[in-house]
Amino acid sequence: MLSERMLTTIIKQLACRGLALNPTNETVMPAPEPGRKYMLYMHVPFCERLCPYCSFNRYAFREDVARPYFANMRREMRMVKNLGYDIESIYMGGGTPTILLDELCETLDEARDLWNIREVASETNPNHLVQPYLDALKGRIQRLSVGVQSFNNDLLKQMDRFDKYGSGEEILERIGEALPYFNSLNVDMIFNFPSQTEDILLDDLEKIAMCGARQTTFSPLYVSNGTMRKMTSTLGKMDYSREYRYYQILDGVLAGGSDPLFHRTTLWTFTRNGETDTLLGAGSAGGAEDASAPQIDEFQTFYDQYPAIGSGSITYLNRSLYVNTFSLREYNEAIESGRMSLMGRSDMSERDLMRYCFLVNLYKLRLDKHAFAREFGVSIERGLPVEMAFMRANRAFATDTSDELTLTPRGRYLVVVMYRQFLSAMNNLREQARAALSGPERELLFGDGTMR
């Protein structure tokens, strides 16, 4: 699609200009708004395997490094409490949050002592869908997202996940065993791997239908400048020319036809029909509430602002992004000295905030024009005339009234491209933070994954 290539280039340029990381001397995140409830994002940067496409802050797991890290993350959690934040929901991302089960349980139990936590969501890997993990996590975590990526054994071997996390057949069996332990189990998948074929994608979709999971996420493969070389050497060169076709396949198989198994909850998240979602809803960037949407990762949340703790986490508050240091040493030193580990900040312009609102709400399949106008003081037509003209010219809107915007199938894919590029830009923001690393901590991404 010519429009896709143009859009990819434009969004990439805009994001690079809008997401520049500037040094900051701030030692604590901004205070909360009085009376507002928040989600707390917690980052656990340890993995048993470092996936070649991942740009999140992650280190090869070592217990002697991870245990003091968890202790300091609990200290930072108490700092958030002392600032006055009212936390009602927690999302734990990584890395692999379940890497040290006893530390994770202690952290979540303390969070519930500090706040009235109504829901915890966490990521995990397939090898942790076993005992004693399941019994320990039951009741502590309501929503679990398991990173499967693909059930195809050849792809799992390419990603260096087969030996550690099991075969596709073993993973499928573990998902079935884990279902009763959580309110919602999400199977996190990726499409458009360089070596993925249509047959492999269709087989993955068949297994998703079979596995019984309440929810699945099929995100497109996206990379950063820093991960491109490693990903190309292990998985092959990216081919965006097939992405539209692959998205049409998965969207049609999961949510198309007269009697679909799933319904769209976001552009690439699908909830099994017959299931209702009771996620805690917070205002979207345009102010509209959505209590029926999933919560999958750091930036696919339905809280328009949130504090974040842990090394490499990114806070979004007061129209600014605050980035914690990627250095474990610097993180530990900061927390132990009684300050937060903020190392940079990115301030968004009014136009960038409008674009972010536009993107995030369309990612959630509907934009409320009245909410947009309340947030920014202008209509979306006046605030984003070029963006609206582009989408209209490409027949992207199924509904375009004075009240709302919804998407056509073509429009859904165009927003997939925009969101993919936004997430790539967030990865590049991480690369700016990662560039400050020196010595053995640069093995985070550019070495063989071991700490020397």
Side-chain angles (χ1 to χ4, degrees):
M1 290 175 68
L2 178 61
S3 54
E4 180 275 332
R5 291 195 294 272
M6 291 174 55
L7 193 58
T8 295
T9 301
I10 292 168
I11 298 296
K12 183 177 181 179
Q13 292 172 346
L14 291 173
C16 287
R17 289 202 301 267
L19 292 176
L21 188 63
N22 299 305
T24 181
N25 293 321
E26 295 166 275
T27 58
V28 65
M29 66 178 63
E33 294 180 18
R36 187 187 190 109
K37 293 184 180 296
Y38 291 86
M39 178 201 80
L40 178 65
Y41 177 80
M42 306 173 73
H43 192 74
V44 179
F46 304 106
C47 287
E48 294 155 305
R49 288 288 188 274
L50 302 185
C51 297
Y53 49 82
C54 178
S55 190
F56 281 80
N57 192 30
R58 77 278 195 278
Y59 287 87
F61 171 66
R62 271 181 36 186
E63 184 173 345
D64 62 321
V65 176
R67 287 198 181 277
Y69 177 87
F70 269 98
N72 279 324
M73 196 164 60
R74 290 191 290 271
R75 290 188 181 99
E76 190 178 16
M77 193 167 62
R78 293 191 288 273
M79 293 180 192
V80 173
K81 171 68 175 180
N82 291 337
L83 283 172
Y85 279 90
D86 186 1
I87 303 297
E88 67 171 359
S89 175
I90 288 175
Y91 191 93
M92 301 201 70
T96 308
T98 52
I99 196 85
L100 272 177
L101 184 59
D102 61 329
E103 295 284 356
L104 173 64
C105 291
E106 183 177 347
T107 301
L108 292 179
D109 290 347
E110 181 167 339
R112 284 195 159 90
D113 290 338
L114 293 173
W115 296 290
N116 181 25
I117 303 295
R118 297 171 59 192
E119 182 174 75
V120 174
S122 179
E123 299 166 1
T124 193
N125 277 319
N127 59 323
H128 292 169
L129 298 182
V130 295
Q131 298 296 358
Y133 293 88
L134 294 176
D135 281 342
L137 298 181
K138 184 177 182 180
R140 288 188 169 96
I141 292 174
Q142 286 67 52
R143 293 172 180 267
L144 191 69
S145 183
V146 55
V148 173
Q149 323 313 359
S150 175
F151 291 99
N152 182 268
N153 289 331
D154 289 336
L155 276 178
L156 293 174
K157 290 173 183 176
Q158 278 188 307
M159 291 182 275
D160 195 24
R161 295 174 66 88
F162 182 90
D163 291 340
K164 194 65 183 180
Y165 302 140
S167 67
E169 294 77 16
E170 291 171 320
I171 293 170
L172 189 64
E173 184 176 346
R174 287 182 198 143
I175 289 170
E177 293 171 353
L179 289 174
Y181 289 84
F182 307 96
N183 295 354
S184 180
L185 183 68
N186 175 77
V187 179
D188 196 5
M189 306 288 284
I190 294 176
F191 72 94
N192 201 31
F193 284 109
S195 57
Q196 187 180 42
T197 65
E198 289 189 14
D199 286 342
I200 290 174
L201 177 60
L202 288 167
D203 186 65
D204 277 344
L205 290 165
E206 181 180 355
K207 288 182 168 61
I208 288 294
M210 291 169 47
C211 75
R214 186 174 176 279
Q215 195 173 84
T216 184
T217 303
F218 271 85
S219 58
L221 182 63
Y222 57 90
V223 294
S224 68
N225 295 334
T227 59
M228 182 68 75
R229 186 178 65 181
K230 182 68 177 293
M231 196 213 72
T232 300
S233 68
T234 56
L235 299 178
K237 188 176 180 180
M238 284 295 300
D239 181 4
Y240 289 114
S241 67
R242 336 174 288 176
E243 188 183 63
Y244 182 37
R245 171 62 181 157
Y246 280 24
Y247 182 71
Q248 286 179 308
I249 290 171
L250 71 91
D251 185 61
V253 169
L254 293 174
S258 58
D259 188 24
L261 282 175
F262 293 80
H263 60 274
R264 300 175 194 91
T265 320
T266 72
L267 285 176
W268 60 57
T269 303
F270 303 84
T271 300
R272 195 175 292 270
N273 280 328
E275 300 278 358
T276 56
D277 203 316
T278 57
L279 174 71
L280 301 174
S284 68
E289 290 194 357
D290 187 341
S292 63
Q295 184 174 316
I296 304 301
D297 71 22
E298 184 177 7
F299 293 100
Q300 296 172 29
T301 74
F302 285 77
Y303 288 75
D304 60 334
Q305 298 191 57
Y306 52 88
I309 64 174
S311 172
S313 67
I314 301 178
T315 289
Y316 178 47
L317 293 169
N318 302 341
R319 301 188 170 193
S320 295
L321 298 168
Y322 298 85
V323 181
N324 280 1
T325 179
F326 274 50
S327 166
L328 296 181
R329 176 184 56 79
E330 291 176 1
Y331 173 78
N332 288 332
E333 288 175 354
I335 300 303
E336 288 165 9
S337 69
R339 57 185 175 84
M340 291 181 170
S341 66
L342 305 176
M343 60 83 63
R345 145 180 196 171
S346 180
D347 298 314
M348 299 173 73
S349 69
E350 187 78 358
R351 178 60 61 85
D352 288 335
L353 288 163
M354 289 184 188
R355 289 177 177 138
Y356 178 71
C357 172
F358 181 75
L359 173 60
V360 169
N361 281 277
L362 289 180
Y363 170 81
K364 295 184 290 184
L365 304 174
R366 178 182 179 271
L367 184 142
D368 182 330
K369 288 188 175 182
H370 301 295
F372 184 97
R374 287 194 300 270
E375 179 76 10
F376 297 106
V378 296
S379 68
I380 194 164
E381 284 80 9
R382 288 188 61 188
L384 297 175
V386 175
E387 290 81 354
M388 289 293 289
F390 175 86
M391 296 293 278
R392 284 168 173 161
N394 281 278
R395 304 184 303 280
F397 297 131
T399 306
D400 185 358
T401 67
S402 60
D403 297 320
E404 66 177 3
L405 297 172
T406 64
L407 298 166
T408 62
R410 179 183 178 87
R412 287 199 296 272
Y413 177 65
L414 290 175
V415 180
V416 164
V417 172
M418 286 190 270
Y419 202 75
R420 180 241 294 162
Q421 287 307 116
F422 167 72
L423 294 177
S424 292
M426 293 305 305
N427 281 349
N428 288 327
L429 187 70
R430 294 186 181 96
E431 297 300 337
Q432 295 173 56
R434 185 174 285 117
L437 292 172
S438 61
E441 289 189 314
R442 288 191 66 79
E443 297 302 324
L444 168 72
L445 183 62
F446 302 112
D448 61 6
T450 61
M451 291 291 289
R452 295 190 176 93

